Amino acid sequence: MRIVRSIRDLQHALRDARAAGAASVGMVPTMGALHEGHLSLVRAARAENDCVVLSIFVNPTQFDESADLEAYPRQEAQDAELAERGGADLIFAPTVDEMYPSGHATTVHVESPLTTLFEGARRGSAHFDGVATVVAKLLLAALPERAYFGQKDAQQLRVVQRMVRDLGIPTRIVACPTSRDRDGLARSSRNVRLSVDQRRRALAIPRALTAVEAAVAAGETDAALLRALAVETLAGTSSPEVGVGIDPEYVAIVDPDRFEPLDTLAGEALCAIAARVGGVRLIDNVLLHPPTTPKEG
Amino acid sequence: MRIVRSIRDLQHALRDARAAGAASVGMVPTMGALHEGHLSLVRAARAENDCVVLSIFVNPTQFDESADLEAYPRQEAQDAELAERGGADLIFAPTVDEMYPSGHATTVHVESPLTTLFEGARRGSAHFDGVATVVAKLLLAALPERAYFGQKDAQQLRVVQRMVRDLGIPTRIVACPTSRDRDGLARSSRNVRLSVDQRRRALAIPRALTAVEAAVAAGETDAALLRALAVETLAGTSSPEVGVGIDPEYVAIVDPDRFEPLDTLAGEALCAIAARVGGVRLIDNVLLHPPTTPKEG
């Protein structure tokens, strides 16, 4: 697996690939610590493009705590092996100095509930500025035809979609379904930190999302009732066998473009949950499609 | 002269031009009300590119006062004639809705003295965000090989250079010398508002810049002394024949990259002046190149 460290080398490699006949480039931006969820993005990119570049960059500007940044897992050799297995052609793994050389002063900001509520509120106002800026820079460095992001980080996905559309970056953002383990838990590099018991409790998160989804399919449009259903499912009161329930950080029922909280579902909506299980913070979400005929009262 | 109104039509026109053999596109972003200064940019673009696109967009987000925005001159027919005479191939004149459709939420911000001091202080913090954002959008819409900006708006030029470099927009920013009338006054659409007497007084601005330039060439490196020289020249105390002198809004002696005020000139510097003459606000500047051997004390 070829790994390039500089934007110049990336551009040379992609120019060579295009000169050799690659009609399209697909990019998968990651922070490394690859797992099956990332590989599903690589495979999606592989299926649609002649050349697939995976970037690995632990972006300091999107971390609110330096301890968190330092503790972030770095395992490039293993990542390279996984990326190759997934079908990537090239890894772009720049240094912090390559991405933010001395004098760098530009930030891309998305002004929206998207960046201030839920994950934005928790991670601080700089978090999504960091995300929008680094994704803009990665896309402009590679100018791929398509870039792949997981629906699991729903808010990040929408910030990126908004930014790319607003600035007119000539890349199509492809949203990929959340990759799940067989038991339904959304794949995350943090899952390995769950004990067997914690993992069993964590399953209340996908169960709550499924319950909300089913209620919406059955015609429920009252967001407060849907939130209550999720909270109740997370608490486990309706499934006493789960043991200690989960007290969520938030259960959001929002419009998926702006993450504006909804009172009533009219069109497509999104239910997002964040919760700590033991010391591990987990997030997950589901898109909600109300049936076209409203529930009869 | 062909005028396109949408980004899609612009991209089609440029694709056609490239398909017809144009190896490079040069872009001249303007707010219209073209004068000889703009035409010097068009000619520079014409000399270096196979296809020249001039954009005309009175960008609302860089105006701090809506009255100023509304009063801004719009004279598209005359602009088109001048652009054609200058050698442009195409005009991109989008509507406000085309550039900022409903839901647009992204801003490009340059965090630097560049955007907060001098013109930044006067125009408000949103001004250079508006400039950086619209230029990013224009460049990403056209993806020109080169874009042309005048040295006269020195601070704007440096903000654009910083933003393009930081984000990695694949366009070379070409800085063009300030276009001057025979009497030395920097060309500006505002000059027509000067009376004969005011114009004679306004010439103290280029005279002050020339005096500072000469002092630097002679070895002066003390910024306070250079500023005092400029202020004195503007006041006209050393040229009593000029009549009523000019009291500048600022005389800045700064490093040209960050617009950080300097105490002592070590390398290249910039002297920028803003002043009102009658009701007309004028700006001008000169790059200063200290001789390599410092002045002997």
Side-chain angles (χ1 to χ4, degrees):
Chain A
M1 172 61 47
R2 182 165 172 211
I3 302 179
V4 294
R5 308 274 173 204
S6 72
I7 292 171
R8 178 179 294 253
D9 286 348
L10 171 68
Q11 292 174 337
H12 283 160
L14 294 178
R15 202 171 304 152
D16 290 350
R18 289 189 188 275
S24 65
V25 171
M27 187 172 208
V28 182
T30 81
M31 299 215 297
L34 301 187
H35 55 68
E36 184 53 35
H38 298 105
L39 293 195
S40 71
L41 303 179
V42 173
R43 282 191 291 267
R46 179 76 280 161
E48 296 182 316
N49 301 277
D50 299 324
C51 176
V52 174
V53 54
L54 177 126
S55 66
I56 298 177
F57 181 60
V58 182
N59 177 34
T61 67
Q62 71 190 71
F63 284 83
D64 46 341
E65 286 170 27
S66 63
D68 198 20
L69 169 64
E70 279 155 36
Y72 203 86
R74 273 98 166 162
Q75 48 188 50
E76 190 181 275
Q78 187 187 317
D79 286 348
E81 212 180 294
L82 285 169
E84 181 150 34
R85 209 183 302 162
D89 297 301
L90 183 67
I91 289 177
F92 175 49
T95 61
V96 171
D97 274 356
E98 176 70 9
M99 292 300 283
Y100 304 109
S102 165
H104 190 287
T106 304
T107 302
V108 179
H109 172 71
V110 175
E111 180 71 30
S112 165
L114 259 184
T115 58
T116 56
L117 300 183
F118 310 113
E119 294 304 301
R122 182 180 173 269
R123 313 281 302 253
S125 63
H127 171 68
F128 281 118
D129 286 358
V131 169
T133 305
V134 81
V135 173
K137 287 168 63 76
L138 289 169
L139 297 180
L140 289 170
L143 288 177
E145 274 70 16
R146 300 177 192 85
Y148 296 78
F149 292 83
Q151 173 65 33
K152 169 156 181 293
D153 291 307
Q155 212 168 337
Q156 169 179 285
L157 166 66
R158 299 302 175 141
V159 169
V160 167
Q161 287 177 321
R162 182 81 258 167
M163 179 276 292
V164 164
R165 186 172 156 191
D166 286 351
L167 294 185
I169 293 178
T171 295
R172 191 158 76 79
I173 301 303
V174 181
C176 296
T178 301
S179 174
R180 296 183 183 280
D181 277 323
R182 287 191 188 178
D183 58 9
L185 194 65
R187 286 192 167 108
S188 161
S189 44
R190 293 173 174 182
N191 292 356
V192 297
R193 290 159 53 199
L194 295 168
S195 69
V196 171
D197 182 56
Q198 285 167 343
R199 179 162 185 124
R200 204 172 51 131
R201 288 172 52 210
L203 294 179
I205 297 172
R207 194 181 303 127
L209 293 171
T210 304
V212 169
E213 202 176 15
V216 170
E220 185 55 66
T221 59
D222 183 322
L225 288 180
L226 293 168
R227 288 186 70 256
L229 173 62
V231 168
E232 186 186 293
T233 310
L234 290 167
T237 51
S238 51
S239 323
E241 78 279 4
V242 176
V244 187
I246 297 173
D247 184 22
E249 209 176 85
Y250 61 74
V251 173
I253 299 202
V254 296
D255 93 272
D257 287 330
R258 287 174 46 80
F259 268 61
E260 206 128 42
L262 297 173
D263 293 327
T264 307
L265 272 63
E268 196 187 51
L270 184 134
C271 178
I273 294 175
R276 280 187 181 277
V277 179
V280 186
R281 188 172 185 273
L282 300 171
I283 63 171
D284 199 353
N285 67 86
V286 68
L287 281 169
L288 303 173
H289 306 278
T292 44
T293 315
K295 182 173 73 161
E296 285 171 294
Chain B
M1 172 61 47
R2 181 164 174 213
I3 302 180
V4 293
R5 308 272 172 204
S6 72
I7 292 172
R8 179 177 292 251
D9 285 348
L10 171 67
Q11 291 174 337
H12 283 160
L14 294 177
R15 202 170 305 152
D16 290 350
R18 290 189 188 274
S24 64
V25 171
M27 186 172 210
V28 181
T30 81
M31 298 214 299
L34 302 187
H35 55 70
E36 184 53 37
H38 298 106
L39 293 195
S40 71
L41 303 179
V42 173
R43 282 191 292 267
R46 178 76 280 161
E48 296 182 317
N49 301 278
D50 299 323
C51 176
V52 174
V53 53
L54 177 126
S55 66
I56 299 177
F57 181 60
V58 182
N59 177 33
T61 67
Q62 72 190 70
F63 284 82
D64 46 342
E65 286 170 27
S66 63
D68 198 18
L69 169 63
E70 278 156 37
Y72 203 87
R74 273 99 168 163
Q75 48 187 52
E76 190 180 275
Q78 187 186 318
D79 287 347
E81 211 179 295
L82 285 168
E84 181 150 34
R85 209 182 301 161
D89 297 301
L90 183 67
I91 289 178
F92 176 49
T95 61
V96 171
D97 274 355
E98 176 69 10
M99 292 300 283
Y100 303 110
S102 164
H104 190 287
T106 304
T107 303
V108 179
H109 172 71
V110 176
E111 180 71 30
S112 163
L114 259 183
T115 58
T116 56
L117 300 182
F118 310 113
E119 294 304 301
R122 182 182 174 270
R123 313 280 304 253
S125 63
H127 171 68
F128 281 119
D129 286 357
V131 170
T133 304
V134 80
V135 173
K137 287 168 63 77
L138 289 169
L139 296 180
L140 289 170
L143 288 177
E145 273 69 17
R146 302 178 190 82
Y148 297 78
F149 291 83
Q151 174 64 33
K152 168 152 181 294
D153 291 308
Q155 210 167 338
Q156 169 179 284
L157 165 66
R158 299 303 175 139
V159 170
V160 167
Q161 286 177 322
R162 181 81 257 167
M163 179 277 292
V164 165
R165 185 171 157 193
D166 286 351
L167 294 185
I169 294 177
T171 296
R172 192 158 75 79
I173 302 303
V174 181
C176 296
T178 301
S179 175
R180 295 183 184 281
D181 277 325
R182 285 189 189 181
D183 58 9
L185 194 66
R187 288 192 166 108
S188 162
S189 45
R190 294 173 173 183
N191 292 357
V192 296
R193 291 158 53 198
L194 295 167
S195 69
V196 171
D197 181 57
Q198 285 167 342
R199 178 158 186 127
R200 203 171 52 131
R201 288 172 53 210
L203 294 179
I205 297 172
R207 194 181 303 123
L209 293 171
T210 304
V212 169
E213 201 176 14
V216 170
E220 185 54 68
T221 59
D222 183 322
L225 288 178
L226 293 167
R227 288 185 73 253
L229 172 62
V231 169
E232 187 186 290
T233 309
L234 290 167
T237 50
S238 52
S239 325
E241 78 279 5
V242 176
V244 187
I246 296 173
D247 184 20
E249 208 175 89
Y250 61 73
V251 173
I253 300 204
V254 297
D255 94 89
D257 287 330
R258 286 172 48 79
F259 268 61
E260 204 127 43
L262 297 173
D263 293 328
T264 307
L265 273 62
E268 195 186 53
L270 185 133
C271 179
I273 293 175
R276 280 187 181 279
V277 179
V280 186
R281 188 172 184 272
L282 300 171
I283 64 171
D284 199 353
N285 68 85
V286 67
L287 281 167
L288 303 172
H289 306 277
T292 44
T293 316
K295 183 173 74 162
E296 285 172 296

